[in-house]
Amino acid sequence: MTTLSTNTPTAELQAIDAAHHMHPFTHSAGLAAKGARIITRADGVWLNDSDGNRILDAMAGLWCVNVGYGRNELAEAAARQMRELPYYNTFFQTSHVPAIALAERIAKLAPGDLNHIFYASSGSEANDTNLRLVRTYWAEKGQPQKQWVISRWNAYHGSSVGSGSLGGMKGMHAQGGMPIPGIAFIDQPHWWAEGGDKTPEEFGLERARQLEEKILELGPENVAAFIAEPVQGAGGVIVPPETYWPEIQRIVDHYGILLIADEVICGFGRTGNWFGSQTMGIKPHIMTIAKGLSSGYQPIGGSVLCDEVAEVIGNCEFNHGYTYSGHPVACAVALENLRILEDESIVDRVRTETGPYLKERFETLTDHPLVGEAKIVGMMGSLALTPDKAARAPFASDAGTVGFICRERCFSNNLIMRHVGDRMIISPPLVISKDEIDTLIERAWQSLDEAHAKLKDEGLMQAAPRA
Ligand SMILES: *Cc1c(COP(=O)(O)O)cnc(C)c1O
C-alpha cells in the first residue's frame, strides 16, 4: 500500500478515490470518469487544491465554516481537550465540563426561554431527535394521537430516514422508502418560481395559510408540530415574502402546535443575527442547530428546547441518544468557535457592515442578462437564472442543466458557487472581507458571462412553454 499525501500526484489520488470512496449525493460513475477535485488546505475564505489553484469558497464548505478556515485557536482547543478527556459519554448519570459549558453558552445565546440542549453530532441526527421528541412530548401530555408533523416541499432537514422524511426533497423520497408515515407537506413560499401574477405579499399569505388548511384537514388534535427553515437553504436559498412568517406564527399559536425552526444553516450569524428566528421574528419551541455551531471543525449538532418542552420531556425517561451526544472534543471546539464569533463581533459585522456590502454588490448581478432576481439575507444568497426576466420564465431544458453549466464555469474560475436546479447560491464564510466580496462578484459575473455565451452557442436560451 502506498502512503498517500498531498504531494501524491492528483491523477493517482483521483483514481484511488474513484476506486474506493463513495461520495454523498453523487453519481459515482460520472465523477469517476472526470476525477474529483482534491482540496489540500485552506485559510480564511480560500481553498487550495492539489493542482495549486486558490479557490474562493463562497459556500463556506457546506454552509458551515462561519469563522473561516485555518483558525489555530480551534485546533488548540481540540488538542487540549483530546489530551485531557478525549471521550466520555453522557448517558449514565455522568457529565463533563465541555458539555456543561457549551450548554450554558447556547442557552445564553438562544432567544427567549430556549434554555436546554439535547446534543447530536449532526443536523440529521438532531432532527431525528426532534421527530421523536415532539411526539413523546404530546404523549406525555396525554395526547398521544398528536403525531403528525407538517413540513414543506423542497425543505431540507437532513439525510437519515427520519430527517430525510421530514425534508421535502422528492428526489430523496424516491429512494429507499421515504417519507415514513405521519409526515405531511405544504408548498414552499417561493414567489419567483411559483407566485404567478400575485404580489409577493399576497403569495406569502397564501402559502402560509396552507398550514392552516393542512392542520384542519388532519385535525388540530392530531398535529404535533410544524418544522421549517427560517430561510430555506439547500432548496435554493428561498427568502420568504415578508407576510409569510408572521402568518405562520399566528397559525401555530392559534392551534397550539409546536414550531421547530431548523437553524442548521441560519444559526450562528448566517442571517446577521445569532439565529434566523430572530431575523424572521418568530418564536420556535425547538431549534435544530449544527453546521456553524462548530464552524464545521467538529461534527456537532443538537436540539435546543424551550423550558416547557424540556420540562415535559424531563418528566419521562426519553429512550434516545447517541454515543457521541455531547462529545467533549466537539463541545470544546464549538465553545471556542462561539467565543471567536463573540469576541470578534463577527455576527454584528455581518448585520451592519459586510452583510449590507455583500447585498449591495450581489444585487448588481441582476444587471446580468441571465439573472432574473438576486435574493440575499445576511450571508446567504441566490440568483435565479432565466431566459426571460420579465416573464420570470424557467428554461426549456431539464431543471439544473443551466445551473450545472454555470457552476462548472464558476469552478473553472476558482469560485465555489453551488447550483440548485437553475438557481445559483452562495453562503460564504462570515469573515469574508470587502475586497474578497469584490473578487467573489467579479468571478461570478465572469462565470455568468461564460455560461451565457455557452447557452447561446448550444441553443439553450429557450423559455419553457407557460404551464
Ligand atoms: C445540512 C442541514 C441539515 C442536516 O445536517 P447534517 O449535519 O448534514 O446531518 C439539516 N437541516 C438543514 C437546514 C441543513 O441545511
Side-chain angles (χ1 to χ4, degrees):
M1 209 148 95
T2 46
T3 303
L4 302 179
S5 77
T6 52
N7 297 320
T8 306
T10 301
E12 192 180 334
L13 290 170
Q14 288 172 328
I16 299 170
D17 185 70
H20 300 295
H21 177 198
M22 307 286 295
H23 290 247
F25 287 94
T26 297
H27 186 285
S28 289
L31 178 63
K34 77 184 223 204
R37 201 157 174 175
I38 315 285
I39 307 302
T40 51
R41 52 175 47 84
D43 57 282
V45 303
W46 298 95
L47 305 170
N48 287 34
D49 73 6
S50 56
D51 292 329
N53 292 300
R54 256 170 95 66
I55 308 162
L56 200 168
D57 183 8
M59 283 305 301
L62 271 179
W63 325 79
C64 55
V65 189
N66 288 11
V67 299
Y69 297 94
R71 302 297 301 234
N72 249 322
E73 308 95 306
L74 297 182
E76 294 301 331
R80 232 179 5 250
Q81 188 56 47
M82 280 200 192
R83 288 191 197 98
E84 194 169 297
L85 180 71
Y87 176 75
Y88 200 71
N89 74 78
T90 52
F91 278 40
F92 303 116
Q93 319 219 328
T94 55
S95 197
H96 49 66
V97 174
I100 297 167
L102 181 62
E104 184 191 37
R105 180 69 67 94
I106 289 169
K108 215 170 270 169
L109 289 173
D113 68 347
L114 290 158
N115 286 326
H116 313 268
I117 180 157
F118 193 103
Y119 288 115
S121 298
S122 69
S124 299
E125 287 180 1
N127 277 326
D128 278 17
T129 299
N130 291 338
L131 182 57
R132 297 193 59 210
L133 198 143
V134 296
R135 290 172 170 174
T136 305
Y137 166 88
W138 288 112
E140 286 297 313
K141 283 174 73 107
Q143 294 177 264
Q145 78 291 350
K146 268 174 103 66
Q147 290 284 297
W148 282 94
V149 177
I150 302 173
S151 177
R152 306 184 294 182
W153 293 115
N154 201 36
Y156 189 77
H157 297 301
S159 189
S160 58
V161 175
S163 63
S165 295
L166 284 173
M169 298 278 173
K170 290 183 179 165
M172 292 176 68
H173 290 179
Q175 297 171 322
M178 299 197 294
I180 57 172
I183 298 167
F185 297 89
I186 61 174
D187 291 317
Q188 59 181 341
H190 189 358
W191 175 79
W192 197 85
E194 300 171 10
D197 297 330
K198 300 186 180 77
T199 65
E201 293 71 26
E202 289 165 349
F203 180 73
L205 277 180
E206 184 183 296
R207 285 287 153 105
R209 285 177 187 154
Q210 280 194 11
L211 176 60
E212 186 157 36
E213 288 158 26
K214 186 59 79 177
I215 292 170
L216 293 171
E217 177 192 323
L218 297 167
E221 69 284 5
N222 298 318
V223 179
F226 174 62
I227 181 169
E229 303 148 86
V231 178
Q232 281 160 271
V237 183
I238 293 153
V239 183
E242 285 184 5
T243 48
Y244 182 76
W245 272 116
E247 184 66 0
I248 292 282
Q249 183 75 57
R250 179 191 72 76
I251 293 165
V252 297
D253 288 349
H254 180 76
Y255 292 98
I257 67 170
L258 297 175
L259 175 60
I260 307 169
D262 185 337
E263 294 269 5
V264 171
I265 290 175
C266 293
F268 306 102
R270 177 61 55 200
T271 68
N273 290 292
W274 278 93
F275 297 94
S277 294
Q278 295 162 322
T279 304
M280 294 293 138
I282 51 173
K283 291 200 173 67
H285 301 89
I286 299 172
M287 296 194 307
T288 320
I289 58 174
K291 294 194 172 124
L293 169 58
S294 67
S295 286
Y297 281 62
Q298 283 284 293
I300 183 168
S303 308
V304 188
L305 317 181
C306 70
D307 288 343
E308 201 258 339
V309 170
E311 190 188 323
V312 171
I313 293 295
N315 283 326
C316 75
E317 182 168 337
F318 186 38
N319 296 314
H320 177 75
Y322 307 105
T323 299
Y324 301 130
S325 287
H327 191 287
V329 178
C331 288
V333 169
L335 200 56
E336 182 65 3
N337 176 63
L338 298 181
R339 186 197 63 72
I340 292 173
L341 284 169
E342 283 193 295
D343 285 1
E344 299 182 11
S345 305
I346 291 172
V347 181
D348 291 339
R349 263 194 299 152
V350 169
R351 187 176 57 254
T352 60
E353 197 184 328
T354 48
Y357 186 71
L358 176 62
K359 180 176 162 72
E360 177 196 321
R361 296 301 322 273
F362 192 68
E363 286 175 349
T364 64
L365 294 171
T366 51
D367 295 338
H368 194 279
L370 210 49
V371 176
E373 74 162 0
K375 279 290 200 184
I376 186 160
V377 178
M379 288 213 172
M380 57 194 296
S382 59
L383 304 173
L385 305 183
T386 178
D388 181 346
K389 295 187 190 217
R392 309 207 310 270
F395 289 92
S397 49
D398 289 344
T401 309
V402 168
F404 183 76
I405 288 170
C406 188
R407 192 203 80 137
E408 290 296 276
R409 297 325 307 153
C410 293
F411 223 7
S412 69
N413 286 319
N414 287 330
L415 171 66
I416 303 241
M417 177 152 78
R418 247 173 81 185
H419 78 105
V420 176
D422 297 325
R423 266 185 111 76
M424 304 306 300
I425 59 180
I426 61 164
S427 167
L430 304 184
V431 294
I432 191 169
S433 69
K434 289 185 177 175
D435 278 353
E436 289 163 340
I437 289 171
D438 290 341
T439 305
L440 189 168
I441 300 299
E442 278 159 29
R443 289 186 185 181
W445 189 280
Q446 170 75 19
S447 305
L448 287 163
D449 270 352
E450 291 172 13
H452 190 210
K454 188 172 156 98
L455 296 175
K456 283 193 286 196
D457 275 358
E458 297 184 1
L460 286 168
M461 282 300 286
Q462 302 291 331
R466 263 183 96 95

